[in-house]
Amino acid sequence: MILLKTKEEVELIRRAALLVGKTLAEVGRYVKPGVPTAFLDKIGEQFIRDNGGIPLCKGFEGFPSALCISVNDVVVHGIPSETLFLNEGDNVSVDCVIELDGYVGDSAYTFAVGEIKPEMQRLLKVTKEALYLGLDRCKAGNRLGDIGHAVQQHCEKNGYSVVRELCGHGVGFKMHEDPNVCNYGVNGTGPLLKEGMVIAVEPMVCMGSKNVKFSKEDGWTCRTKDGKPAAHFEHTVAITAQGPDILSSFEFIENK
Ligand code: MG
Ligand code: MG
C-alpha cells in the first residue's frame, strides 16, 4: 500500500533527507586515493550520530555498516572494508539512509577518486542526468512508469544499461515502502502519482551489460557480471501537483 504524507510530514522527511546530503558531503571530503572504505563509513556514522540521526542501513537485515560504499564494478550494497583502499581513477558510490526524529531520508552520490578517465566521467554525468530526468516526471497525474521510462531512455540512448534486479522505493515513514520505483518502464503505465507520495528515485547504471550478481560470501555486494563500472545517484522526492519537490540535496557536495 502506498502511504501518503501530509505537508507537515514532508517537512520532517526533508529534515532527515538534508542530513543525508550533509553526511554525503562530509564523507566526500575524505574520498581520496589510499583511504580505506571503512574509514569513510566511520566518518559518516559519527556525523550522523553527532547530528541526532540513526544510520538505518546498520543492522538492516544484518547489514554491518552505516553506509553502503560501492567501488567501480560494485553497483550498490558494497560493505565498507578496512582492506579495500580507494585508488586514483575509481568511482565510489556512497548510499546513506537516515532516520531523524522518526522520519527517513535516503540519498546516494557517486564520487570520483582523484582524476578519472573521460569514459568514467561520462558514466557519472549521464547517470546523474538520468536521475534528474526521472525526478522531472514526479508530478501528480503522471504514472510511475513515466519515471522508469525517462531514466531508461536516457541511459540506453547513451549506450549504457540499467539494472533490473534493484529499484527505488517509497520512503519517509520507513526505509522501504511501496511502491517499487524501477529504472525502466513504459510511459502511461503503473500507479498514478499523487500529491503526498514520497519516493526514492535511484538509477543504477552500468557502462556495459545490465546483468549483475550478488556476492555468495556476504550476501550483499552487487556487482556487474561483466566487471565494467557502474554508477548510482539517488534523491528522496515528494510528488506535488506542481512537480517534484526534491527533499535531499547534492548542494552540500557540489557547492562547497
Ligand atoms: Mg539509498
Ligand atoms: Mg534507496
Side-chain angles (χ1 to χ4, degrees), residues 95 97 106 202 234:
D95 191 355
V97 188
D106 185 0
E202 49 179 318
E234 174 177 27

Side-chain angles (χ1 to χ4, degrees), residues 1-6 9-18 20 54 56-57 60 95-100 102-108 135 138 144 167-181 193-202 234-239 245-248:
M1 195 173 80
I2 300 174
L3 302 171
L4 300 181
K5 280 82 179 179
T6 64
E9 287 164 341
V10 167
E11 291 314 311
L12 292 162
I13 298 166
R14 190 192 311 275
R15 286 184 65 233
L18 288 177
V20 177
I54 303 168
L56 281 193
C57 291
F60 176 79
D95 191 355
C96 177
V97 188
I98 296 178
E99 181 181 323
L100 182 67
Y103 293 84
V104 180
D106 185 0
S107 181
L135 292 168
C138 291
L144 196 64
C167 293
H169 47 90
V171 67
F173 298 144
K174 289 197 305 179
M175 181 161 145
H176 293 130
E177 299 175 18
D178 287 338
N180 279 338
V181 181
L193 300 181
K194 293 180 187 164
E195 192 144 71
M197 283 174 64
V198 177
I199 59 176
V201 179
E202 49 179 318
E234 174 177 27
H235 270 316
T236 295
V237 60
I239 285 150
D245 181 3
I246 303 172
L247 305 180
S248 47

